[in-house]
């Protein structure tokens, strides 16, 4: 498992958020995210939230789903899933495999400085959608996401010295 410092996460997600913003992603839009367990999966989710768009999670074991893609016009993936997801959003979704050379060069050209309110295309409201679960379940707003994080932080006694692990199904 590759470690990623918060500084590295912040820089990489800011660069990716700028690429998303340049493609029109922001409050009121959504971005497809299809990865296995990886640092790119974490960076992508963080970048989508920084852009103000909603995350539409695709199950990497079933990336060919035909469910609601939340009107997404951009999708993030890697070469392991690029072929499998190419048909999702048939022609209306621009897929960006983060390990592709051209995409990596575009990311590298972006500033690693944190994305700010002024970086976004429009203001982000707490009622804007932050996450659209696979399978068409009810979406989650930025306010609801922040409240859930606050509850988890309090329940788990998380502080600045805490270490977290990616939790997933056995064998994933």
């Amino acid at each position: 498992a590759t470690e990623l410092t918060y500084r590295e996460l912040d820089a990489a997600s800011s660069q990716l958020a700028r690429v998303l913003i340049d493609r029109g992603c922001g409050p009121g839009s959504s971005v497809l995210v299809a990865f296995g367990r990886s640092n790119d999966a974490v960076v992508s989710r963080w970048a989508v939230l920084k852009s103000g768009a909603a995350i539409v999670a695709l199950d990497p074991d079933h990336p060919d789903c035909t469910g609601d893609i939340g009107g997404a016009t951009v999708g993030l993936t890697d070469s392991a899933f690029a072929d499998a997801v190419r048909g999702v959003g048939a022609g209306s979704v621009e897929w960006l495999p983060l390990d592709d050379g051209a995409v990596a060069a575009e990311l590298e050209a972006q500033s690693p400085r944190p994305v700010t309110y002024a970086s976004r295309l429009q203001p982000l409201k707490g009622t804007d959608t932050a996450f659209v679960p696979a399978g068409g379940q009810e979406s989650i707003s930025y306010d609801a996401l922040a409240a859930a994080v606050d509850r988890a932080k309090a329940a788990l006694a998380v502080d600045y010295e805490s270490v977290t692990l990616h939790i997933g199904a056995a064998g994933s």
Side-chain angles (χ1 to χ4, degrees), residues 26-97:
S29 66
S30 48
V31 176
L32 297 168
V33 179
F35 290 93
R37 291 177 57 173
S38 67
N39 284 345
D40 282 343
V42 175
V43 168
S44 294
R45 286 171 173 85
W46 199 241
V48 173
L49 293 174
K50 281 184 173 186
S51 77
I55 298 167
V56 178
L58 292 181
D59 182 350
D61 293 326
H62 302 94
D64 57 343
C65 75
T66 57
D68 181 18
I69 61 168
T73 57
V74 176
L76 303 174
T77 191
D78 57 24
S79 58
F81 298 106
D83 288 336
V85 298
R86 205 168 307 282
V88 175
S92 64
V93 174
E94 176 187 12
W95 283 98
L96 301 176

Side-chain angles (χ1 to χ4, degrees), residues 2-172:
T2 303
E3 291 184 359
L4 187 66
T5 66
Y6 181 77
R7 182 180 302 234
E8 293 165 335
L9 170 63
D10 190 41
S13 61
S14 292
Q15 289 172 306
L16 181 53
R18 284 186 170 79
V19 168
L20 294 172
I21 290 166
D22 287 347
R23 283 176 167 74
C25 300
S29 66
S30 48
V31 176
L32 297 168
V33 179
F35 290 93
R37 291 177 57 173
S38 67
N39 284 345
D40 282 343
V42 175
V43 168
S44 294
R45 286 171 173 85
W46 199 241
V48 173
L49 293 174
K50 281 184 173 186
S51 77
I55 298 167
V56 178
L58 292 181
D59 182 350
D61 293 326
H62 302 94
D64 57 343
C65 75
T66 57
D68 181 18
I69 61 168
T73 57
V74 176
L76 303 174
T77 191
D78 57 24
S79 58
F81 298 106
D83 288 336
V85 298
R86 205 168 307 282
V88 175
S92 64
V93 174
E94 176 187 12
W95 283 98
L96 301 176
L98 299 188
D99 54 356
D100 177 78
V103 175
E106 185 178 358
L107 290 169
E108 197 60 38
Q110 299 295 323
S111 170
R113 295 186 54 156
V115 172
T116 65
Y117 171 81
S119 304
R120 287 195 205 101
L121 299 174
Q122 55 186 313
L124 176 65
K125 299 181 294 264
T127 55
D128 285 330
T129 301
F131 186 78
V132 180
Q137 299 166 344
E138 188 174 329
S139 61
I140 301 165
S141 71
Y142 275 88
D143 283 345
L145 181 61
V149 168
D150 287 343
R151 285 191 304 275
K153 181 179 172 186
L156 299 171
V158 176
D159 64 15
Y160 70 94
E161 293 181 339
S162 298
V163 175
T164 60
L165 301 172
H166 182 95
I167 299 171
S172 61

